[in-house]
Amino acid sequence: MKIVLSGVETNNKGAELMLYAILQEIERRHPEAIVYIPRDRMFHELSYVKTKLDFRYIPCGKFEQKFHLASVFEKLEIPFQLLPHMIGMGKVDYFVDASGFRFSDKFKHSAHSSAILQCILSAYKKQGTKIIYLPQAFGPFEKKASRDVLSVLNNYATVLMPREKVSLQYLEDSGITNMAKVKMFTDFTSLVEGVFPTQYEHLRNGICVIPNKQMINKGAIGLDGYISLLESIINNARKSGKVVYLLNHEGGKDEQLCKDLQKRLPDIIQYVSGLNALEVKGLIASAYLTVSSRFHGVASSLNSCVPCLATSWSHKYQELFNDYSMSDCVLPIEDIQGAINMIDNYLDENINSKVRNILRNKVPHIKEENRKMWEFIWTC
């Protein structure tokens, strides 16, 4: 069996966590499978990913290497994944996409995006490949380029999985002609267990703050306002007596946010960077409270039964909280005192304990839904 993965990577720890979730399930169900990943999505060598599977880059051959076609394609805004269809890779059984959030007006789609995606997906469909879009956020689709891309998914995908009701509604309203291929499942990383990084034992039971550059890039808040918000949250949280630390959940830009915060704070704060996705989840699982601007920082906290509050730039945050029977967990980013009051509430030991009990009752149901999702995929 051959399986091609798309939308996963190792720079963004949420995307890397989804990669581990996929590999873990393939190891369980199809341990003999050959799993391919595009070379441009791996920010470390393949040996960085611990798996028993036959895990490879999509083959591109000497021609691609000689003329550096990946770089050429990147400059032309053409995805590297197109290369395999130029050189051939043999029959692929599954094309599995785990982009998280890619198909929406919130992301740039060029006039050529739909044509490129059609070229990729049509090549797979011609050979009978099952084209699976794992649970992710979708929409809105007001722009023509976004609707054109969605039309390609409508024509070629075997199944599209919105991970919450808002995304499902966006798909229904957008003109998907075959809603039978649309199946809603929640985020699928709950089955992956984190690994606590022992060098950070001193941070156990602390308050974990996870910044996200997308809060600024997607227009939710300006840079100065965001830094001021996090600065106020951290200074107030320190009054609890618990250690407060920053966790870099992606790459250089999120790390720069951590450094900018360090400069603004009156006392030194540690920021943690360079962990793999399993260690990131393990550290989050050890926290007393998480304040996250990263979606999978929220997901890892909730499915580890750790109380969490979040800043948000998309509907996907509130919908994730809804999946865990949690409400009023998105911080009012324009009301610093209101945000601080919510955090103070969650720092209270009795309330913190009650939230943990709610999550302990909910997580088994989330994990069971994840198992049902995989069973559906292998039998669809």
Side-chain angles (χ1 to χ4, degrees):
M1 174 173 288
K2 293 181 181 178
I3 302 173
V4 170
L5 304 185
S6 175
V8 292
E9 56 167 280
T10 57
N11 191 43
N12 180 310
K13 298 307 163 184
E16 184 182 330
L17 192 63
M18 289 190 284
L19 171 60
Y20 275 111
I22 296 167
L23 295 177
Q24 175 180 289
E25 174 59 22
I26 296 173
E27 284 184 6
R28 184 189 72 84
R29 187 67 179 243
H30 297 291
E32 80 292 347
I34 301 173
V35 179
Y36 294 98
I37 189 169
R39 189 179 298 268
D40 67 326
R41 305 302 296 170
M42 293 294 291
F43 293 85
H44 307 82
E45 290 300 316
L46 285 179
S47 58
Y48 169 85
V49 178
K50 305 305 179 185
T51 178
K52 298 176 183 178
L53 294 166
D54 188 346
F55 191 50
R56 310 176 183 180
Y57 290 126
I58 291 175
C60 293
K62 294 181 180 180
F63 181 80
E64 181 276 323
Q65 295 175 21
K66 180 178 179 180
F67 293 100
H68 305 288
L69 291 187
S71 299
V72 175
F73 274 39
E74 183 177 4
K75 291 177 181 178
L76 295 174
E77 296 186 348
I78 299 174
F80 184 87
Q81 295 97 313
L82 193 58
L83 286 170
H85 312 298
M86 298 169 63
I87 64 168
M89 188 173 54
K91 184 181 185 304
V92 170
D93 298 279
Y94 282 90
F95 172 88
V96 179
D97 180 275
S99 295
F101 194 15
R102 172 184 166 198
F103 302 105
S104 166
D105 291 340
K106 291 182 178 289
F107 293 86
K108 180 182 177 182
H109 293 291
S110 71
H112 304 294
S113 295
S114 57
I116 294 166
L117 185 62
Q118 181 171 342
C119 180
I120 294 170
L121 297 187
S122 64
Y124 283 120
K125 191 164 186 177
K126 286 177 182 176
Q127 57 180 235
T129 303
K130 291 184 179 180
I131 299 171
I132 310 295
Y133 281 82
L134 290 177
Q136 54 192 275
F138 290 93
F141 299 105
E142 298 296 327
K143 298 178 181 179
K144 182 180 184 302
S146 301
R147 294 196 302 272
D148 289 345
V149 167
L150 184 62
S151 177
V152 175
L153 297 185
N154 179 50
N155 291 334
Y156 292 100
T158 306
V159 62
L160 297 171
M161 296 183 179
R163 63 186 172 200
E164 21 73 15
K165 293 179 181 178
V166 173
S167 291
L168 175 62
Q169 191 63 53
Y170 277 133
L171 290 176
E172 290 177 343
D173 294 343
S174 67
I176 290 285
T177 57
N178 183 8
M179 287 301 294
K181 70 171 57 178
V182 178
K183 303 291 182 183
M184 188 173 71
F185 290 98
T186 190
D187 172 71
F188 59 95
T189 60
S190 72
L191 298 176
V192 180
E193 295 295 327
V195 176
F196 181 76
T198 56
Q199 68 269 36
Y200 294 110
E201 185 64 39
H202 61 287
L203 301 180
R204 190 183 289 275
N205 202 40
I207 300 169
C208 177
V209 179
I210 305 173
N212 181 1
K213 68 181 185 298
Q214 297 286 42
M215 287 294 298
I216 301 145
N217 295 347
K218 300 303 179 185
I221 190 172
L223 175 59
D224 289 340
Y226 186 49
I227 294 293
S228 294
L229 172 66
L230 295 182
E231 177 186 10
S232 298
I233 287 172
I234 290 167
N235 284 331
N236 186 75
R238 280 173 158 169
K239 297 176 183 178
S240 68
K242 294 187 178 297
V243 63
V244 184
Y245 61 95
L246 297 166
L247 176 59
N248 178 14
H249 208 281
E250 190 169 3
K253 292 182 180 179
D254 279 11
E255 186 169 13
Q256 186 59 52
L257 283 175
C258 294
K259 292 178 179 178
D260 291 342
L261 271 165
Q262 274 189 323
K263 294 175 184 177
R264 289 276 290 268
L265 293 166
D267 299 308
I268 295 174
I269 186 171
Q270 182 171 4
Y271 78 84
V272 177
S273 191
L275 299 181
N276 66 40
L278 300 181
E279 293 170 325
V280 166
K281 184 168 185 177
L283 185 58
I284 290 171
S286 76
Y288 180 77
L289 172 67
T290 304
V291 180
S292 179
S293 296
R294 280 281 169 191
F295 177 86
H296 276 101
V298 177
S300 291
S301 188
L302 295 179
N303 62 51
S304 299
C305 301
V306 173
C308 180
L309 295 165
T311 67
S312 170
W313 59 270
S314 161
H315 67 269
K316 63 181 184 175
Y317 291 84
Q318 182 57 60
E319 293 301 306
L320 179 62
F321 282 117
N322 291 344
D323 286 346
Y324 284 82
S325 300
M326 303 298 297
S327 59
D328 301 322
C329 294
V330 174
L331 298 171
I333 58 178
E334 301 297 341
D335 178 7
I336 292 179
Q337 188 56 52
I340 287 174
N341 291 343
M342 290 175 64
I343 292 170
D344 282 344
N345 190 44
Y346 266 48
L347 288 174
D348 179 87
E349 288 186 5
N350 289 330
I351 293 175
N352 192 284
S353 179
K354 288 178 181 178
V355 172
R356 287 174 184 269
N357 285 334
I358 292 171
L359 294 174
R360 289 188 188 104
N361 289 329
K362 189 64 180 180
V363 167
H365 300 283
I366 297 291
K367 290 185 175 182
E368 181 59 27
E369 182 176 346
N370 285 175
R371 295 186 186 99
K372 289 179 179 178
M373 178 202 79
W374 285 116
E375 189 61 30
F376 172 78
I377 288 170
W378 301 130
T379 58
C380 69

